[in-house]
Amino acid sequence: MVASPPPVRSPERGNLRVGSEYLIGIGERETVPSSRLQRLLDFVERPGAAWTIIVLNFIGFVGGTILWYGDHFLGRAAGKWYLWPFIPDCPGFAFLFIIAFLGLRWGRDWRLFNTITAYGLIKYGVWTVLYWIAYWSRGGPVEPLGMTMFISHLGMIGEGLYVSYRIESPVGLGPSERQGGLRPRDVLMAFGWFLLSDYVDYGLGQYPMFDTAVVPMALMKWHTVFMTFALAAVYLALSKRPRTDL
């Protein structure tokens, strides 16, 4: 058995280097040469790309909360502070991704938090993408705001898939490789949270602002409920599969 060479510091930014791989400065890890997917993940986790994603998510959190949900907080949710955690769906999960991303890089075992974060990123990212497709297909104008939201929420879906993969994949995560993947109890707790969120949105009338004159309420409502059950089913299946890669 031939021993691999020890990691060395690169002269640039003090990042850890393993072979030809430069790794993110906000939380160093070891990698192994692998597939195109792994190379894509390595690119996302390099300092420049990682900090760009963090900054864009923070801008999305602040801008979305103020510009898209500001009137909601002052109107339908005024005085109902106990409902506020359920209201800024997409901006809220954009912010939670920052925490999950940094936690993964630092090797933190936050599986419940990461499961809820990944679940929400995919659920609300798909909701927004579906809304704009339905809006445009029914004659709504194609404008810069809609295009920006469409593209940014495709990014949210990608972030949800990234967190899901990093919970499941033990490769290249340093201390967090001991997480061991998704756990059924975490998935069920996330499922319960999003069922409650769906009730707040469509049972208590706190659903996100959208043009119901163009896109039917029923479409968005039942899509939301479907995604809650579908994601729970997918994550439960992943949590119960044999982990031969550990």
Side-chain angles (χ1 to χ4, degrees):
M1 180 175 176
V2 179
S4 59
V8 296
R9 296 281 171 181
S10 75
E12 299 178 336
R13 300 177 186 162
N15 293 329
L16 191 66
R17 183 181 180 187
V18 182
S20 61
E21 300 289 340
Y22 288 93
L23 310 175
I24 185 168
I26 56 178
E28 296 167 348
R29 63 183 180 85
E30 294 184 357
T31 59
V32 294
S34 62
S35 64
R36 293 179 181 177
L37 173 61
Q38 186 63 52
R39 290 196 294 271
L40 175 61
L41 294 171
D42 289 340
F43 172 78
V44 168
E45 293 162 357
R46 291 169 187 257
W51 284 113
T52 299
I53 292 169
I54 289 171
V55 170
L56 289 176
N57 274 57
F58 187 75
I59 292 172
F61 163 65
V62 175
T65 301
I66 295 173
L67 299 178
W68 196 264
Y69 286 93
D71 290 342
H72 192 149
F73 281 112
L74 298 175
R76 282 182 284 160
K80 301 176 182 178
W81 56 267
Y82 49 91
L83 299 179
W84 289 358
F86 299 97
I87 290 174
D89 297 326
C90 296
F93 279 93
F95 182 75
L96 294 184
F97 172 77
I98 297 174
I99 299 173
F101 184 68
L102 293 174
L104 285 168
R105 306 316 322 132
W106 294 331
R108 301 296 189 267
D109 187 357
W110 296 342
R111 269 176 288 176
L112 173 59
F113 176 81
N114 291 341
T115 301
I116 292 173
T117 299
Y119 204 128
L121 286 164
I122 296 173
K123 175 180 168 71
Y124 296 121
V126 171
W127 187 99
T128 306
V129 168
L130 173 66
Y131 169 75
W132 286 109
I133 291 174
Y135 180 77
W136 293 326
S137 68
R138 292 169 179 268
V142 179
E143 298 174 330
L145 175 62
M147 288 299 300
T148 300
M149 293 186 68
F150 181 83
I151 293 170
S152 64
H153 286 77
L154 286 175
M156 272 188 67
I157 298 169
E159 290 174 348
L161 294 173
Y162 168 85
V163 176
S164 300
Y165 178 82
R166 280 311 193 197
I167 297 171
E168 278 291 288
S169 173
V171 177
L173 281 176
S176 65
E177 67 183 288
R178 292 188 291 274
Q179 288 189 14
L182 289 158
R183 297 179 298 200
R185 68 174 184 267
D186 295 339
V187 176
L188 292 175
M189 291 179 72
F191 175 65
W193 172 264
F194 287 107
L195 276 181
L196 180 59
S197 180
D198 292 346
Y199 173 73
V200 171
D201 282 354
Y202 297 98
L204 302 181
Q206 300 297 326
Y207 54 86
M209 177 183 68
F210 66 92
D211 193 342
T212 55
V214 179
V215 180
M217 173 68 73
L219 172 64
M220 304 314 299
K221 173 182 177 179
W222 293 114
H223 161 77
T224 300
V225 175
F226 169 78
M227 285 297 295
T228 297
F229 282 86
L231 286 170
V234 170
Y235 281 140
L236 278 174
L238 288 172
S239 72
K240 293 180 178 180
R241 68 176 183 171
R243 296 199 55 79
T244 58
D245 54 345
L246 291 178

